[in-house]
Amino acid sequence: MRCQDLYQFGQKLVRRRPLEPTEDSESPTAPLNILKLVAFGVASTLGAGVYILVGEVAMFIAGPAIIISFLVAALSSVLSGLCYAEFGTQVSWTGSAYLYSYITMGELWAFITAWNLILSYVIGTGSVARAWSVAFDSLIGNHIFQALEGTFSPYMPYYLAKYPDFVALSLVLLLTGVLVLGARESVLVGKISTGINLLVLSFIIISGFIKGDLHNWELTEQDYTLNTSESGDISSLGPLGSGGFVPFDYDGILHGAALCFYSFVGFDDIVTKGEEAPNPHRSIPISIVTTVFICFLAYFGVSATLTLMVPYYQIQPDSPFPQAFLHVGWGPARYIVAVGILCFLLYRLQSSLFPVPQVIQEMAEDGLLFRGLARTHARTKTPIMATVSSGILAGIMALLFEFSNLVDLMSIGHLLVYSLVAFFVLVLR
């Protein structure tokens, strides 16, 4: 009897969904061409990494060679994206890695994959909220940082942030409340936000190449000593390394690539639009590769601009671009850039929290989580418990952890999910 129970339990763990489309998943129209898919992918991928992460990686990890780090991360993203594309085109309806793992490996791997997705999305929401808070605080003169650090820093454990970020927590909880009330992701708001983002990026890149200095890619110890004597405060400068274009050797490039991978997270959203594409076997792979290439060009441009405008050891990691314009004497431009960054990060925060309740609801409907999490409000059709629980968890992450720690956690989570998808492709073949 016990052996039979164990056998039945094992059968449940490897139980799979059939690889068949449902009737309501078939779409009679195909409104999304390659151009629209690429636009959707770029809007989903460009985020906090282009504005906040660039400064930290350039200052402490890779120096001007950050552009090579982005290239390595882009190549890795393309390979992961092609695995997603192959899987997505073989499944005849919209889905995520959770659905793909359920089809190929069974409930146990679906459970593991779904929790990776949930934690990655939640941590991603927390990181964007933290980035928005840091950018806003920098715009108003770091008054929030000074007040909170002086009050809470002596009581915070070393593995948490220097101070609890109540601004980021409030922002996440406010957004959660909006979602509970039935707000939906607006296509028009997304287009406006993406347009603002592209304008800000274009302004940064063009201005940077105008005011940039190639000597900042050839810095020596003599330049570092001169800057130290001019500033009078060596603690405000980052490490010099060995100077030049690759100051932290090839280890720094690879370390930077691991962090820069965070900036490419989001390209896999294209696969969820596969059933709306006219020829997904062709349009999905092309759209993913094109999206990663466009994002790489954007990251290449802003990272090259930043390291040309400012010596890498003088970059302000919390607010690299507004401070860079201040460094080259374009003070008023930093406010334009800062406001544009805040507007775009606010939209990214909204879009990063949307998928979490959906994954939780799917798991609850499949019986892998408590059934109560799948309940929806009768009027708004919103999974209230799933939305509230994910919002509270994201708020706690934004409150207690540094942006860099959240980036590390999110990169690990997505790398694991992408590795699982690549393995599932082999199984499906």
Side-chain angles (χ1 to χ4, degrees):
M1 188 67 180
R2 183 176 298 177
C3 293
Q4 185 178 0
D5 292 339
L6 290 175
Y7 176 77
Q8 291 177 353
F9 178 72
Q11 287 293 102
K12 290 181 179 179
L13 291 181
V14 297
R15 182 172 53 191
R16 304 178 184 179
R17 279 188 180 181
L19 186 58
E20 296 175 357
T22 56
E23 292 182 1
D24 58 349
S25 67
E26 295 178 358
S27 176
T29 59
L32 293 181
N33 55 26
I34 293 179
L35 182 60
K36 291 181 179 179
L37 286 172
V38 171
F40 173 75
V42 171
S44 301
T45 305
L46 285 177
V50 72
Y51 294 122
I52 307 297
L53 185 64
V54 169
E56 184 168 340
V57 174
M59 183 177 187
F60 297 109
I61 299 173
I66 184 177
I67 60 177
I68 303 178
S69 297
F70 273 118
L71 177 61
V72 175
L75 293 176
S76 302
S77 300
V78 166
L79 297 177
S80 300
L82 292 178
C83 292
Y84 252 102
E86 180 175 344
F87 215 149
T89 53
Q90 293 190 42
V91 177
S92 304
W93 67 92
T94 297
S96 62
Y98 165 68
L99 176 62
Y100 302 154
S101 59
Y102 211 155
I103 291 171
T104 57
M105 303 299 293
E107 287 191 359
L108 177 61
W109 286 103
F111 181 82
I112 295 173
T113 304
W115 269 110
N116 265 288
L117 281 175
I118 291 171
L119 292 177
S120 297
Y121 283 130
V122 164
I123 293 169
T125 302
S127 67
V128 177
R130 192 88 187 192
W132 192 94
S133 174
V134 168
F136 176 75
D137 190 29
S138 176
L139 181 63
I140 63 175
N142 292 320
H143 296 301
I144 299 175
F145 168 78
Q146 294 170 5
L148 293 178
E149 185 184 33
T151 304
F152 293 98
S153 182
Y155 309 103
M156 296 297 290
Y158 69 93
Y159 49 84
L160 297 180
K162 296 179 181 178
Y163 63 92
D165 196 335
F166 294 105
V167 175
L169 172 65
S170 303
L171 197 60
V172 173
L173 295 181
L174 178 63
L175 174 61
T176 303
V178 172
L179 295 183
V180 168
L181 294 176
R184 295 290 182 267
E185 197 165 11
S186 172
V187 176
L188 178 60
V189 173
K191 289 180 179 180
I192 294 174
S193 175
T194 303
I196 293 174
N197 186 35
L198 292 177
L199 287 176
V200 172
L201 289 176
S202 301
F203 178 73
I204 289 174
I205 293 173
I206 294 173
S207 303
F209 282 117
I210 292 174
K211 298 294 292 184
D213 184 1
L214 282 174
H215 180 69
N216 288 329
W217 284 4
E218 303 172 351
L219 296 170
T220 62
E221 187 174 351
Q222 184 178 0
D223 297 306
Y224 187 79
T225 305
L226 180 62
N227 286 320
T228 302
S229 61
E230 290 178 352
S231 64
D233 182 15
I234 192 171
S235 63
S236 64
L237 300 180
L240 172 67
S242 60
F245 183 75
V246 188
F248 303 107
D249 207 1
Y250 295 101
D251 292 340
I253 293 177
L254 295 179
H255 184 190
L259 294 177
C260 290
F261 186 82
Y262 164 87
S263 303
F264 291 95
V265 170
F267 64 84
D268 49 294
D269 291 350
I270 295 176
V271 182
T272 65
K273 301 294 182 181
E275 66 179 9
E276 302 177 46
N279 183 10
H281 293 276
R282 177 176 179 272
S283 59
I284 295 297
I286 292 177
S287 300
I288 288 178
V289 173
T290 306
T291 295
V292 174
F293 179 71
I294 292 175
C295 292
F296 166 71
L297 291 181
Y299 294 136
F300 174 88
V302 296
S303 56
T305 294
L306 181 63
T307 52
L308 286 173
M309 292 174 69
V310 187
Y312 61 88
Y313 48 76
Q314 287 186 300
I315 294 173
Q316 299 296 319
D318 291 338
S319 184
F321 293 103
Q323 296 301 321
F325 280 100
L326 186 63
H327 179 82
V328 297
W330 285 16
R334 71 178 180 132
Y335 295 105
I336 300 175
V337 172
V339 171
I341 291 173
L342 288 175
C343 292
F344 179 69
L345 289 180
L346 191 61
Y347 168 73
R348 288 296 298 152
L349 178 63
Q350 177 196 26
S351 60
S352 63
L353 190 56
F354 264 108
V356 189
Q358 298 173 6
V359 177
I360 295 177
Q361 185 180 16
E362 286 183 17
M363 291 182 67
E365 290 175 348
D366 292 335
L368 300 183
L369 283 177
F370 300 111
R371 295 283 184 181
L373 293 173
R375 293 176 184 171
T376 58
H377 192 274
R379 183 176 61 86
T380 62
K381 306 299 181 183
T382 303
I384 294 180
M385 293 303 298
T387 303
V388 170
S389 58
S390 59
I392 292 175
L393 184 57
I396 292 174
M397 300 298 290
L399 176 71
L400 298 178
F401 290 93
E402 294 281 7
F403 175 77
S404 58
N405 295 333
L406 294 173
V407 168
D408 290 339
L409 290 172
M410 184 178 176
S411 298
I412 292 171
H414 274 282
L415 281 171
L416 180 57
V417 171
Y418 294 158
S419 301
L420 289 174
V421 169
F423 178 69
F424 298 157
V425 169
L426 296 177
V427 173
L428 188 62
R429 284 180 175 183

